[in-house]
Amino acid sequence: AVKQHPHITAFVVMHNTIAVGAINAIQSLGRRIPDDYSIVGVALGKESDLILPPLTAIHWYGEQIGQQAAKILINSFANKNAKSEQILVQHQIEIRSSTARISQSR
């Protein structure tokens, strides 16, 4: 993706293993993180603390998502005419060294 799309400056990855692969691929091309590319991971655990450079991570709360999903499922069984709904769940972003600061000139 880096060679084919030079306008891309950041990646969001859904697993820490993919983050490590993306970082290694970018570095193998002689590019630097975060100078050339920023990487953000959707953290599934504390492993994002061990990735170098330290991975900026979005922490989401799976237990809360599971509870909300179960409530919606139970409600749909109890009420066949139940309307779909959107539920926002908490998240937290932890900024670390894998992302560059946003500048006005970019």
Side-chain angles (χ1 to χ4, degrees):
V2 172
K3 286 182 179 179
Q4 296 170 339
H5 303 283
H7 59 283
I8 293 175
T9 61
F11 297 91
V12 177
V13 297
M14 297 304 294
H15 196 277
N16 289 334
T17 303
I18 298 169
V20 170
I23 289 168
N24 288 340
I26 289 168
Q27 290 174 339
S28 73
L29 294 171
R31 308 283 172 79
R32 295 173 300 165
I33 298 167
D35 299 328
D36 299 316
Y37 295 96
S38 292
I39 304 280
V40 176
V42 178
L44 300 175
K46 291 291 184 182
E47 297 87 16
S48 57
D49 293 340
L50 305 174
I51 297 172
L52 294 175
L55 185 64
T56 293
I58 300 169
H59 299 281
W60 53 277
Y61 302 97
E63 183 177 331
Q64 181 185 13
I65 293 170
Q67 289 172 350
Q68 293 296 331
K71 286 178 188 178
I72 291 169
L73 183 62
I74 291 167
N75 186 38
S76 71
F77 288 138
N79 181 2
K80 297 290 184 197
N81 296 322
K83 296 184 181 202
S84 63
E85 57 184 296
Q86 179 179 354
I87 298 173
L88 300 176
V89 294
Q90 289 182 318
H91 67 281
Q92 177 184 7
I93 187 164
E94 190 168 350
I95 307 294
R96 295 192 182 114
S97 303
S98 69
T99 51
R101 294 190 178 272
I102 297 174
S103 68
Q104 296 297 327
S105 62
R106 219 174 199 190

